[in-house]
């Protein structure tokens, strides 16, 4: 099994970002990201899917889309659409119709920034997801870099502080988003969690101060979605594309905040009498199932079952004998810049 680092949810000059696809590719090579999922607003940019190469290094760029109803007032319901291979933004006025169309096209849909508060000092409105009656979506963007900014930047001074010290920003997914996810899981639904940058690399000028706020490189070294695949990237676009979206669709992935320490190497697995399972998988308990988490560095590890923390410890590994069905997942926290911060959020293993 291989682990690839995917950075997803970013905007270019084709919507409200400042960079080109080549700028993204360069930033990916600098930061060691394997795959980028580029999601401009309501436009499926053509002709840029492929590998960005420099010397022997390469990063795979896959063009996806972030879709919302531009006529809706107030603005809500942003959906990340991967691998649909067709322009579906005309269906944005009805989220369920849009999600159904994504499903029919063989694509994946993730609810973007499910909780996204307003930021009145900058005229930014609340663009949370509202239509929670929808079904059939693949998952949710559990951790969104920009939503988090909106919760802490109450005024211009805060914004300037985080523009110059962006590394102080990430703390973890918003509690309300975690709650929504756990509620969906407790209902017995399978909901894949991914982490998104929502990178724009906007140019800010305040008097004499000029700054690119949260450059792409910064985002790519922060909140990544680490996926598990059968091989490294092969260089065959169709094969690699399929492999990446298969892993995301099955929830064979975890969210890692890679700035305090690389999360590469994290594993969470389940071992039954005759079968094993990984994150995103279902396992039938024939008696008991042993859950195992292994971390690349020491951290505070929490095992969560259906929204409840059932074991908490400090270390590099956790083992637990599960006797009851439920959605089991791991959270890990690490001390960084004077605070305990979210470091790893696994997808659940569904014990049946
Ligand atoms: Zn959005
Ligand atoms: Zn976005």
């Amino acid at each position: 099994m291989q682990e690839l680092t995917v950075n997803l949810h970013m905007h270019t000059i084709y919507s409200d970002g400042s960079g080109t696809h080549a700028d993204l590719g360069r930033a990916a090579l600098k930061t060691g990201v394997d795959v980028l999922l580029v999601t401009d607003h309501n436009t499926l940019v053509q002709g840029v899917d492929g590998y960005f190469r420099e010397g022997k290094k390469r990063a795979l760029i896959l063009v996806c889309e972030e879709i919302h109803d531009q006529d809706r007032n107030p603005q809500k319901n942003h959906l990340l659409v991967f691998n649909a291979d067709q322009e579906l933004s005309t269906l944005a006025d009805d989220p369920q119709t849009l999600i159904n169309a994504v499903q029919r096209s063989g694509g994946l849909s993730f609810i973007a920034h499910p909780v996204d508060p307003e930021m009145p000092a900058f005229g930014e409105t609340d663009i949370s997801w509202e239509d929670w009656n929808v079904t059939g979506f693949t998952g949710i963007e559990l951790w969104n870099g920009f939503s988090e900014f909106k919760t802490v930047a109450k005024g211009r001074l805060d914004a300037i502080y985080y523009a110059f010290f962006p590394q102080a920003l990430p703390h973890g997914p918003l509690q309300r988003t975690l709650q929504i996810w756990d509620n969906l899981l407790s209902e017995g639904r399978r909901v894949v969690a991914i982490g998104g940058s929502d990178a724009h690399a906007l140019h800010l000028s305040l008097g004499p101060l000029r700054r690119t706020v949260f450059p792409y490189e910064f985002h790519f070294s922060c909140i990544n979605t680490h996926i598990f695949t059968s091989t490294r990237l092969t260089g065959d676009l169709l094969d690699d594309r399929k492999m990446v979206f298969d892993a995301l669709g099955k929830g064979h992935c975890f969210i890692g905040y890679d700035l305090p320490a690389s999360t590469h190497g994290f594993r969470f697995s389940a071992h039954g009498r005759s079968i094993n399972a990984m994150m995103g998988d279902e396992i039938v308990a024939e008696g008991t199932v042993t859950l195992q988490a292994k971390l690349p560095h020491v951290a505070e590890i929490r095992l969560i079952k259906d929204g409840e923390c059932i074991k908490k410890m400090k270390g590099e590994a956790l083992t637990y004998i599960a006797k009851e069905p439920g959605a089991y997942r791991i959270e890990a926290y690490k001390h960084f810049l004077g605070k305990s911060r979210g470091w790893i959020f696994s997808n659940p293993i569904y014990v049946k």
Side-chain angles (χ1 to χ4, degrees):
M1 196 171 56
Q2 300 291 326
E3 179 180 342
L4 300 178
T5 306
V6 179
N7 197 279
L8 60 91
H9 192 166
M10 63 203 68
H11 300 277
T12 72
I13 49 171
Y14 286 91
S15 58
D16 54 354
S18 73
T20 62
H21 291 85
D23 292 332
L24 298 178
R26 267 188 290 277
L29 293 189
K30 269 194 195 154
T31 49
V33 167
D34 299 299
V35 182
L36 297 180
L37 305 186
V38 187
T39 53
D40 277 306
H41 292 290
N42 298 306
T43 178
L44 189 64
V45 182
Q46 301 292 323
V48 279
D49 256 24
Y51 302 88
F52 183 84
R53 289 190 168 86
E54 259 174 21
K56 284 187 178 163
K57 293 208 284 187
R58 69 178 169 202
L60 174 60
I61 298 180
L62 296 173
V63 175
C64 306
E65 194 171 358
E66 180 176 18
I67 297 180
H68 68 276
D69 179 4
Q70 297 173 82
D71 296 328
R72 194 186 194 285
N73 190 11
Q75 282 291 301
K76 301 281 175 189
N77 299 339
H78 288 201
L79 191 73
L80 297 172
V81 174
F82 303 160
N83 199 33
D85 253 350
Q86 52 185 303
E87 183 57 77
L88 295 172
S89 60
T90 49
L91 305 174
D93 60 335
D94 179 26
Q96 188 63 66
T97 304
L98 173 60
I99 289 168
N100 294 346
V102 175
Q103 242 182 356
R104 271 198 307 277
S105 72
L108 307 175
S109 57
F110 290 87
I111 288 174
H113 41 74
V115 175
D116 192 88
E118 62 174 356
M119 194 164 59
F122 298 90
E124 291 275 346
T125 56
D126 176 318
I127 43 169
S128 305
W129 186 271
E130 290 238 309
D131 291 30
W132 283 107
N133 292 327
V134 293
T135 56
F137 55 93
T138 315
I140 64 169
E141 186 185 33
L142 185 72
W143 194 347
N144 172 291
F146 197 64
S147 300
E148 211 183 346
F149 177 65
K150 288 171 85 176
T151 62
V152 294
K154 303 285 183 211
R156 285 190 166 252
L157 270 181
D158 298 328
I160 292 169
Y161 172 74
Y162 288 112
F164 281 86
F165 301 103
Q167 62 275 29
L169 175 64
H171 289 79
L174 303 185
Q175 281 308 314
R176 270 166 63 207
T177 312
L178 274 167
Q179 184 86 58
I180 289 169
W181 187 38
D182 280 328
N183 289 346
L184 292 167
L185 295 175
S186 302
E187 288 169 13
R189 290 167 72 169
R190 293 181 65 150
V191 181
V192 177
I194 54 173
S197 294
D198 215 345
H200 293 78
L202 295 177
H203 301 307
L204 176 84
S205 47
L206 281 170
L209 291 178
R210 276 175 218 289
R211 185 98 185 155
T212 299
V213 187
F214 307 134
Y216 295 116
E217 267 172 64
F218 166 73
H219 277 299
F220 296 177
S221 50
C222 279
I223 304 163
N224 288 305
T225 302
H226 293 243
I227 64 168
F228 296 106
T229 55
S230 53
T231 65
R232 301 287 307 161
L233 292 177
T234 62
D236 181 290
L237 182 58
L238 286 180
D239 286 354
D240 287 346
R241 198 188 154 94
K242 184 176 181 318
M243 188 165 80
V244 168
F245 290 128
D246 269 359
L248 285 168
K250 289 177 178 152
H252 291 168
C253 54
F254 69 91
I255 303 165
Y257 172 37
D258 288 307
L259 199 64
S262 169
T263 61
H264 193 94
F266 168 72
R267 298 291 183 270
F268 178 44
S269 54
H271 308 273
R273 200 177 303 154
S274 53
I275 39 168
N276 298 322
M278 67 189 296
M279 285 167 252
D281 284 344
E282 235 176 65
I283 185 165
V284 178
E286 306 157 306
T288 60
V289 168
T290 305
L291 299 173
Q292 267 186 338
K294 286 183 189 158
L295 283 72
H297 309 277
V298 173
E300 183 196 310
I301 316 172
R302 297 179 194 172
L303 175 65
I304 317 282
K305 174 185 177 284
D306 299 326
E308 227 178 284
C309 180
I310 55 168
K311 186 170 180 176
K312 189 163 142 178
M313 57 167 289
K314 201 171 166 147
E316 280 184 322
L318 175 148
T319 303
Y320 182 84
I321 312 286
K323 295 178 183 142
E324 288 175 25
Y328 292 82
R329 61 181 187 82
I330 294 286
E331 292 180 359
Y333 293 80
K334 223 174 166 34
H335 232 76
F336 181 60
L337 299 178
K339 284 183 184 172
S340 171
R341 294 167 191 264
W343 185 46
I344 290 171
F345 293 82
S346 83
N347 264 289
I349 294 176
Y350 303 88
V351 177
K352 296 285 167 188

